[in-house]
Amino acid sequence: MIKSVCGYCGVGCGLEFDEKSLIGEVSYPVNEGLVCAKGVSELKSIDTSTRLLRPLMRQSIENSFKESSWEESIKRVADAIKNTSASKVGFYLSGQLLTEDYYVANKLAKGFIGTNSVDTNSRTCMASAVVAHKKVFGVDFVPVKISDIKECELLILIGANTAEAHVVLNNKIKKAKKNGLKVVVIDPRFTPTAKLADLYLPIHVGADIDLINLLINRLINEDRVDLEFIENYTNGYEILKNKFKRLALKKMLKRTGLSTEQFEQFYQLFIENDRVITAWTMGLNQSVQGVDKNIAVLNLHLVTGKIYRAGCGPFSLTGQPNAMGGREVGGLSTTLAVHLDFDKESIKKVSSFWNTDKIAPTAGHTATQMLKEDIDVLIISHTDPLYHLPNRHLVEKQLQRVPLIIEINAYKDSETSKYAHIRLPAAPWGEKEGTQTNLDRTITKQEKLTRTSIDCKADWKIFQLIAQELGFKEEFNFSSPKEIFSEYKEMTRLSPDGHLNIYDCDYDELSKRPFSWGDKIVEDKKFFTKNAKANIVFVENKLKSEKTSLAYPLILLTGRTRDRWHSETKTIFVDLLQTYKPSSFVEINSLDAKKYGIYNGDSVVISSKRGSLTTKAIVSDEINRGAIFIPITDRNINYLTSDILDPLSHEPDYNHSAVKIEKKHSE
């Protein structure tokens, strides 16, 4: 048996491979043998007709692709980089990359090309959580482990549909419920996750801050905050308390759409249980106030002292297998490396470590900004921005302007390939080795289970070829992922106060057991602000999202469905798909459907100010009136979505787009 780790969601389940099938690893602490349909089917994503197996090249997007050699392709990339300024080079990376891939790409771009425009698709899912963690804790740190659920008494899930997005985690929640765990689910949809709730709160879209602030305000007024913890470990409580006196409580409750009785049930559950975890994901993050929503959750745990204790804390759930690994390495354009920013001292440290003088002094362009800028060379690795960025008609125009787009991918059917000039075949999960960090800081080694397809390469090797062609042969002379990891783990000693203690991790030992960094931070109740105390920051609902109107009277919600994954490049081969939800549909409340003359199964057109798509209607009472839901597996979904961004995280407001729905009439 070969031990490895799943390459789908942020749970990061341990797997065992016996040359024919995959099973969950019983001894692995994260999943304890549990595994979902995507995980057990992952072998099918390796040997498929959708694989990209040869380098391809064309002069313009009007031409057809022709097979190329690696030498010719890499030379064209390097020549283009050499013939433009560093500020016009962008790297668009992905949570599908392994940490070693991320490290080489980040080192090359920021350290030697001199561009800080190195971002990842985490910008569209986790950036709001990153900014909030840094503002409140001083560093990007998740203080909860999956194992804490066993010690938890009350789990609050807000903007998180674990039953469909984090299946194994959801199964652990079910198991904990048998031992007394209480669960509150807060969501505009009665999702499969809501079915396991002790209390389901059908909140109105966009009112998350209102609900959390109402809870904090009640706790303050009834003296149920932890004043000792507040005094010893936090800043800003008195300011928060004074500003809360001005809150319009009745108006806030009305915005939530909840009754006084529902709020009272929520409050009673909160005060009756000592150990509380609040878990969230894209329902909070993907918002024009995504950072503020995250901060509201962090405030709740700080004022009650329900943090840095077993079974307690704010638990940000990542969507992708190595989204956290990318954050650690420095894969976001707003961070330099190993949780260091672009201040002079950090640049000096990193420059010395990498032996370079090319690091630019300011943050680069984020993924949501990059295409708006004057980019000459765009390297895209294992992600599909044309599919996943909002306001797709605009993104199409922006991609057409880029003189050279290089797509590094294991699969050939991406949407972005329509605008690529060079396509380089990368090794997918199972054909490469390296490390990844799951949503609770657990690092595991992903093992190579089969040979690498003959003309494909691991991503780190592709970045290394570009580096060497640019003349940086000595600085990028890695021979293995282990060698890259060794350099990276030494670099983690530079992290603020050495908190990113990956330097204690042994690469070879990861084949036997995972490693969890940052556990001592929890033990020591440590924060990384100037005075080593967490910052409590007042936030309020500013109603900044796109508003409905007579022309566009509904709000679009987006999200995952179980067994399917993003654009379905891989999960199209999952056996259970025939028995679950389709890849494209629109869920609409039965009263709204009646209002618009729509019946179950009707072909409908959904439109926003930006574009439209056609799909089938599912009429349901499991979604609030005034909202509709379309899964992100519909590749056309971002023709609808708003490109309003959170001003701090630059994360899009995916779940608040104003739309209309009409029955499609046969022509």
Side-chain angles (χ1 to χ4, degrees):
M1 285 279 190
I2 301 174
K3 293 182 179 182
S4 191
V5 64
C6 184
Y8 277 110
C9 78
V11 177
C13 293
L15 299 174
E16 289 184 337
F17 172 62
D18 67 357
E19 297 185 11
K20 293 183 180 178
S21 63
L22 293 167
I23 59 172
E25 185 190 342
V26 175
S27 63
Y28 192 77
V30 170
N31 59 310
E32 300 173 305
L34 296 171
V35 66
C36 75
K38 294 192 296 292
V40 296
S41 302
E42 195 155 17
L43 286 171
K44 295 182 180 180
S45 68
I46 300 175
D47 186 18
T48 77
S49 60
T50 60
R51 286 287 305 279
L52 179 64
L53 296 171
R54 296 284 187 275
L56 302 173
M57 196 154 63
R58 61 183 175 182
Q59 289 303 309
S60 76
I61 59 174
E62 284 77 32
N63 303 135
S64 298
F65 280 108
K66 294 182 179 179
E67 282 193 16
S68 176
S69 66
W70 276 100
E71 292 76 14
E72 186 181 6
S73 300
I74 295 297
K75 186 177 187 306
R76 184 176 171 192
V77 176
D79 285 348
I81 293 171
K82 289 175 184 176
N83 290 318
T84 191
S85 66
S87 64
K88 294 188 176 185
V89 179
F91 282 60
Y92 199 150
L93 309 178
S94 164
Q96 302 291 306
L97 292 172
L98 296 177
T99 298
E100 293 71 22
D101 304 322
Y102 260 127
Y103 179 77
V104 176
N106 196 54
K107 178 181 178 180
L108 168 61
K110 292 176 182 171
F112 291 87
I113 293 175
T115 177
N116 291 330
S117 295
V118 182
D119 215 33
T120 165
N121 53 20
S122 288
R123 181 64 55 190
T124 61
C125 58
M126 299 314 300
S128 293
V130 171
V131 174
H133 288 149
K134 291 176 71 172
K135 282 177 73 71
V136 174
F137 299 155
V139 293
D140 178 18
F141 179 70
V142 176
V144 180
K145 306 284 289 182
I146 289 175
S147 57
D148 277 309
I149 290 171
K150 292 179 181 178
E151 308 291 327
C152 182
E153 296 170 350
L154 176 65
L155 174 64
I156 302 168
L157 293 166
I158 180 167
N161 181 11
T162 52
E164 300 198 88
H166 299 93
V167 177
V168 169
L169 174 60
N170 197 69
N171 288 337
K172 282 181 162 282
I173 294 168
K174 285 182 181 178
K175 192 174 179 180
K177 274 185 65 68
K178 293 177 181 178
N179 295 320
L181 175 69
K182 300 292 183 186
V183 177
V184 176
V185 173
I186 304 167
D187 200 301
R189 298 172 61 224
F190 188 78
T191 63
T193 306
K195 293 173 184 176
L196 62 79
D198 297 277
L199 176 64
Y200 166 60
L201 298 176
I203 192 170
H204 281 175
V205 179
D208 311 279
I209 295 173
D210 293 313
L211 179 59
I212 298 167
N213 277 353
L214 283 168
L215 179 57
I216 295 172
N217 182 73
R218 179 80 172 271
L219 292 164
I220 291 171
N221 289 343
E222 296 196 358
D223 294 323
R224 292 187 178 275
V225 296
D226 188 335
L227 291 175
E228 184 179 355
F229 183 89
I230 289 168
E231 175 66 27
N232 292 331
Y233 296 103
T234 72
N235 304 307
Y237 174 68
E238 289 301 323
I239 295 173
L240 179 90
K241 187 176 176 181
N242 289 331
K243 288 191 174 182
F244 265 42
K245 292 175 182 177
R246 302 200 302 268
L247 293 178
L249 303 181
K250 289 183 179 179
K251 186 181 289 186
M252 290 163 61
L253 184 62
K254 185 177 180 180
R255 280 201 296 258
T256 68
L258 303 176
S259 67
T260 303
E261 291 74 22
Q262 286 171 315
F263 178 75
E264 189 64 31
Q265 285 179 281
F266 182 34
Y267 178 71
Q268 289 301 321
L269 271 174
F270 193 91
I271 64 174
E272 287 167 4
N273 293 279
D274 177 50
R275 296 193 297 275
V276 180
I277 291 173
T278 305
W280 72 96
T281 183
M282 306 316 152
L284 296 194
N285 294 345
Q286 292 177 334
S287 165
V288 69
Q289 278 194 267
V291 173
D292 289 348
K293 290 178 182 181
N294 276 258
I295 289 174
V297 174
L298 302 183
N299 285 345
L300 173 63
H301 284 269
L302 291 171
V303 300
T304 56
K306 296 183 188 300
I307 186 172
Y308 287 164
R309 290 195 285 132
C312 282
F315 197 9
S316 163
L317 307 178
T318 60
Q320 296 197 75
N322 201 30
M324 189 173 286
R327 287 150 64 180
E328 295 157 4
V329 165
L332 292 170
S333 65
T334 43
T335 60
L336 177 51
V338 297
H339 291 175
L340 294 171
D341 294 322
F342 292 99
D343 56 277
K344 287 183 180 180
E345 186 59 31
S346 295
I347 291 173
K348 184 178 178 182
K349 286 180 183 178
V350 175
S351 296
S352 176
F353 185 86
W354 281 340
N355 192 24
T356 184
D357 60 0
K358 291 187 172 64
I359 298 176
T362 57
H365 299 303
T366 66
T368 45
Q369 294 173 308
M370 207 178 291
L371 295 180
K372 299 175 184 177
E373 303 301 325
D374 189 13
I375 293 288
D376 282 347
V377 181
L378 179 61
I379 299 174
I380 301 168
S381 182
H382 283 291
T383 190
D384 197 352
L386 182 58
Y387 151 70
H388 74 242
L389 286 176
N391 195 353
R392 178 163 168 167
H393 281 304
L394 178 61
V395 175
E396 288 172 343
K397 292 175 184 176
Q398 292 169 338
L399 285 170
Q400 287 180 53
R401 296 203 315 259
V402 182
L404 184 65
I405 294 177
I406 302 96
E407 183 189 24
I408 301 170
N409 207 329
Y411 302 94
K412 62 185 180 184
D413 58 345
S414 73
E415 296 293 300
T416 302
S417 63
K418 299 167 187 173
Y419 297 97
H421 303 90
I422 299 173
R423 306 188 69 196
L424 300 176
W429 180 93
E431 287 191 4
K432 58 183 178 181
E433 73 166 74
T435 61
Q436 66 183 52
T437 310
N438 80 340
L439 55 80
D440 74 354
R441 297 177 277 107
T442 299
I443 300 174
T444 308
K445 190 178 173 195
Q446 192 182 108
E447 298 287 359
K448 187 174 180 180
L449 305 182
T450 184
R451 67 173 180 83
T452 302
S453 297
I454 191 164
D455 217 13
C456 298
K457 298 182 187 296
D459 296 83
W460 69 265
K461 287 188 177 180
I462 299 172
F463 295 126
Q464 178 167 277
L465 286 173
I466 296 170
Q468 292 180 341
E469 185 67 26
L470 287 169
F472 309 120
K473 293 187 178 181
E474 185 178 332
E475 297 88 349
F476 292 85
N477 194 28
F478 301 112
S479 60
S480 67
K482 180 179 178 179
E483 195 174 324
I484 300 166
F485 185 84
S486 295
E487 179 175 306
Y488 164 59
K489 81 172 192 175
E490 284 305 307
M491 191 182 201
T492 62
R493 296 181 188 277
L494 304 180
S495 64
D497 288 350
H499 75 279
L500 193 62
N501 65 310
I502 296 171
Y503 48 80
D504 289 330
C505 179
D506 183 272
Y507 186 83
D508 293 327
E509 282 294 308
L510 289 173
S511 297
K512 303 170 188 174
R513 63 186 65 85
F515 174 87
S516 178
W517 68 267
D519 290 349
K520 200 165 188 311
I521 297 173
V522 176
E523 293 172 19
D524 295 343
K525 295 185 178 179
K526 191 167 185 180
F527 298 107
F528 295 85
T529 59
K530 289 182 179 179
N531 68 350
K533 292 184 176 184
N535 295 319
I536 294 173
V537 181
F538 173 74
V539 294
E540 61 183 326
N541 188 353
K542 295 180 180 176
L543 304 172
K544 295 169 67 177
S545 294
E546 187 171 57
K547 306 294 190 298
T548 56
S549 63
L550 289 174
Y552 300 100
L554 302 169
I555 289 293
L556 170 65
L557 302 176
T558 65
R560 288 183 185 162
T561 56
R562 199 201 71 198
D563 305 333
R564 297 187 181 274
W565 179 258
H566 298 186
S567 63
E568 295 199 279
T569 307
K570 294 165 66 174
T571 51
I572 196 67
F573 305 101
V574 175
D575 294 333
L576 292 182
L577 286 183
Q578 304 309 314
T579 61
Y580 202 59
K581 296 174 183 176
S583 58
S584 177
F585 63 89
V586 59
E587 185 179 78
I588 182 170
N589 181 275
S590 59
L591 294 176
D592 284 333
K594 184 178 180 180
K595 179 179 179 180
Y596 299 113
I598 292 166
Y599 293 89
N600 200 57
D602 278 353
S603 183
V604 293
V605 179
I606 300 95
S607 306
S608 73
K609 294 176 182 177
R610 293 159 292 278
S612 63
L613 63 81
T614 302
T615 189
K616 298 285 185 182
I618 294 178
V619 178
S620 169
D621 289 321
E622 296 184 345
I623 186 169
N624 284 354
R625 289 196 69 181
I628 63 170
F629 170 82
I630 299 175
I632 60 171
T633 41
D634 187 321
R635 288 194 173 200
N636 293 316
I637 192 168
N638 283 309
Y639 282 119
L640 302 176
T641 52
S642 167
D643 55 354
I644 300 173
L645 305 178
D646 183 294
L648 298 176
S649 68
H650 294 157
E651 184 159 348
D653 200 28
Y654 283 114
N655 288 295
H656 306 85
S657 303
V659 297
K660 65 181 177 180
I661 187 168
E662 301 167 295
K663 183 183 289 190
K664 184 178 181 183
H665 299 287
S666 55
E667 296 176 357

